[in-house]
Amino acid sequence: MKHSILIVACAIFCSAQAAAAPILPPMASIPAGVFIMGSTEPRIGDGSHNPAEGPPREVRVAAFRLAKYETTVAQFRQFVAATGYRAAGECWEFDRTDGIALKASGWDAPAHAPTDYHPVMCVSWNDAAAYAQWLARETGRPFRLPSEAEWEYAARAGTRTTYSSGDAPEQLCKYANMKDRRFKAAAQRDHGLDMLVTDCDDGAEYTAVVGMYAPNGYGLHDMMGNVAEWVADCQHPDYRGAPADASAWRSGCEVEGDYFITRGGSYSSSRQVLRSAARGHGGRDNASSLGEGFRIAEDLGSCTASQCVEGDATFVAALAAARQARD
């Protein structure tokens, strides 16, 4: 039965892929508001998450829209097919000898793209920005990457807890694809790596079809885990001097070099990295299967609410069928 559902999903997607119009992502409307961004937690010392999370500061956020799901393999594949874009040809991967290693690979390698409905990963900040620019140009809608402040505001969805799901890390597997028991077994089997993990089971070894886990209060799926998400901001050592209006912080980028911020953690991230305030980073050209992806934001613009939030009906139906096949 699951096999037949997946065949139907593929058939639905094939017609969508052949269409000239870009796949429109289903969007959630994020209300305007004010929140306290950041935390007083110490820096995460794993090398990939070292920007400070403070000082905590009040940020005013204008209403905007954010994709309900991380950008999928299907969406990125359509962009590449339409433009001939050449994404990053190297990707950081787990390695049996060195733990992680930079290898000749890409976003469409079978291990990184199990289905068209998994989140695209092994994409750099440049790749994510190029996709957003293409989608905006082709649709005439103001699509873009979210700012870091917008991302945290949307991830929190009005909460002040450690995670948008609360403070209990043992409950995270209901809401996030993360570094859990199932991932630990897979990492040992495939890469000979012994990982410390949270003692829960999220049902996935590596990435999962987008939308498999419960949404947060704004209807956003996978804000914690699955793939870490590039945002528009370049890296600064902390929040001193950051904009108070939730706009992307793009001045003074040379202070930290050519690095950009990621948010939300991935399937290989610890519970510390899945906190709403946690900050990651990567080089502009960095691509990783450990792994970076992205989701799309949109300024309110002039289109009607229904046109702006529903997304491509064919893609939405195919995605629903893919999730059902994976249940």
Side-chain angles (χ1 to χ4, degrees):
M1 179 62 179
K2 290 184 178 181
H3 181 65
S4 63
I5 292 173
L6 200 54
I7 290 174
V8 171
C10 180
I12 293 172
F13 168 69
C14 287
S15 62
Q17 189 178 40
I23 299 168
L24 290 173
M27 308 295 288
S29 295
I30 310 300
V34 179
F35 81 114
I36 301 300
M37 181 176 181
S39 80
T40 56
E41 291 282 330
R43 294 172 189 256
I44 302 172
D46 67 355
S48 63
H49 292 82
N50 61 20
E53 298 171 11
R57 62 203 184 90
E58 185 176 274
V59 181
R60 300 181 306 276
V61 184
F64 69 105
R65 283 182 285 271
L66 192 62
K68 292 182 179 181
Y69 310 110
E70 294 163 332
T71 302
T72 65
V73 171
Q75 291 167 285
F76 197 78
R77 191 189 306 281
Q78 187 190 46
F79 157 62
V80 170
T83 63
Y85 181 83
R86 299 189 67 175
E90 292 183 317
C91 186
W92 288 98
E93 300 182 354
F94 287 113
D95 182 75
R96 186 172 292 271
T97 301
D98 298 322
I100 61 171
L102 187 62
K103 301 181 181 181
S105 188
W107 64 271
D108 57 349
H112 306 150
T115 75
D116 281 322
Y117 310 101
H118 278 68
V120 67
M121 64 176 179
C122 286
V123 288
S124 68
W125 186 91
N126 282 342
D127 299 336
Y131 173 89
Q133 291 165 5
W134 169 78
L135 189 64
R137 184 174 64 250
E138 292 298 309
T139 62
R141 288 172 56 173
F143 289 116
R144 55 181 173 79
L145 294 179
S147 73
E148 185 178 14
E150 286 175 330
W151 192 98
E152 184 172 325
Y153 176 74
R156 289 185 178 278
T159 66
R160 296 186 179 182
T161 49
T162 304
Y163 315 100
S164 61
S165 58
D167 288 319
E170 296 79 11
Q171 300 298 314
L172 282 174
C173 280
K174 296 179 181 179
Y175 301 92
N177 179 10
M178 61 177 294
K179 202 174 189 179
D180 68 328
R181 291 196 304 264
R182 198 171 296 234
F183 169 78
K184 179 182 179 72
Q188 288 176 327
R189 179 194 67 217
D190 297 337
H191 309 292
L193 302 175
D194 188 17
M195 303 278 197
L196 293 174
V197 302
T198 297
D199 188 20
C200 64
D201 183 354
D202 62 30
E205 293 182 341
Y206 300 125
T207 55
V209 170
V210 299
M212 294 294 291
Y213 301 88
N216 72 3
Y218 286 156
L220 303 168
H221 297 264
D222 303 314
M223 293 295 279
M224 299 183 292
N226 218 15
V227 291
E229 299 174 15
W230 292 111
V231 296
D233 306 52
C234 63
Q235 180 175 311
H236 298 79
D238 54 41
Y239 288 140
R240 287 175 293 184
D245 63 356
S247 60
W249 195 5
R250 297 297 303 275
S251 62
C253 298
E254 66 280 357
V255 173
E256 291 285 291
D258 209 14
Y259 280 80
F260 284 77
I261 296 296
T262 63
R263 285 305 207 108
S266 74
Y267 70 93
S268 65
S269 293
S270 69
R271 63 195 191 189
Q272 178 77 348
V273 177
L274 269 61
R275 293 176 300 108
S276 295
R279 309 175 75 200
H281 70 166
R284 178 192 292 270
D285 295 321
N286 182 77
S288 170
S289 70
L290 276 61
E292 282 92 19
F294 62 100
R295 79 174 67 216
I296 292 297
E298 182 184 20
D299 295 327
L300 290 185
S302 59
C303 61
T304 65
S306 60
Q307 290 174 323
C308 289
V309 300
E310 290 176 355
D312 184 274
T314 304
F315 176 73
V316 170
L319 176 56
R323 286 201 300 267
Q324 185 178 355
R326 294 275 164 168
D327 281 342

